[in-house]
Amino acid sequence: MDWTLEVVLIPTSDIDRAVAFYRDQVGFALDHDTRNEHMHVVQLTPRGSGCSIVIGDLPAQTEMAPGSMRGLQLVVADAAAARDELVSRGVECSEITVFDERDGGTFFGFADPDGNTWAVQQIKARAAHPLIPVEARQRFGAEQEG
């Protein structure tokens, strides 16, 4: 039996500000934004990822202090290009650090407006061999073709 990590809750103080940051600046896809008289819950997914983030005002989300999530990690094939993309969208990023010359040893980081922190790791092998093949990617709620 597979056990897949598919959702991580991110504590935020302002849902709309967080959506704007993750969707418009970081480039995550907006899977859904559900609002009613009882809740506001939003799910966003990084391009190529099988794991999404969820922000909202349900008890599981509001029990964590905004900005308390540390060390979430994204993986990209080219750290310099990824950093340039984020900086061009107004995301403040750390400089790139090479801890090890082997693939997987290059990192930079950024934080969301609440202070939740992210590390971005370069694994060049992802360019030729993505973790989730392009043909297997389906957006949340998308109708299957074929």
Side-chain angles (χ1 to χ4, degrees):
M1 175 184 310
D2 289 345
W3 294 55
T4 59
L5 178 64
E6 297 193 15
V7 174
V8 174
L9 301 179
I10 305 294
T12 62
S13 61
D14 182 321
I15 297 168
D16 293 327
R17 179 182 70 177
V19 169
F21 176 77
Y22 285 108
R23 181 193 59 212
D24 303 335
Q25 290 184 266
V26 182
F28 288 9
L30 177 64
D31 298 325
H32 71 82
D33 185 339
T34 303
R35 296 176 198 239
N36 62 39
E37 64 276 9
H38 306 291
M39 64 174 203
H40 183 190
V41 175
V42 181
Q43 181 171 319
L44 302 110
T45 304
R47 289 186 309 267
S49 180
C51 187
S52 302
I53 63 167
V54 170
I55 54 179
D57 59 8
L58 292 174
Q61 291 134 341
T62 60
E63 289 172 355
M64 295 185 287
S68 63
M69 188 63 76
R70 296 281 187 261
L72 293 164
Q73 189 162 311
L74 297 166
V75 175
V76 297
D78 183 334
R83 185 181 182 283
D84 288 348
E85 181 179 326
L86 292 179
V87 169
S88 76
R89 292 183 182 156
V91 177
E92 190 172 317
C93 299
S94 70
E95 294 300 320
I96 293 174
T97 302
V98 178
F99 295 103
D100 189 322
E101 292 296 329
R102 293 174 291 186
D103 200 17
T106 300
F107 291 84
F108 72 92
F110 68 91
D112 73 11
D114 283 299
N116 297 297
T117 64
W118 293 81
V120 181
Q121 179 184 28
Q122 174 178 285
I123 298 181
K124 292 178 185 176
R126 290 287 191 267
H129 304 287
L131 200 57
I132 299 174
V134 174
E135 64 275 8
R137 297 177 190 177
Q138 301 252 341
R139 296 285 355 120
F140 178 87
E143 294 294 323
Q144 291 193 5
E145 296 179 25

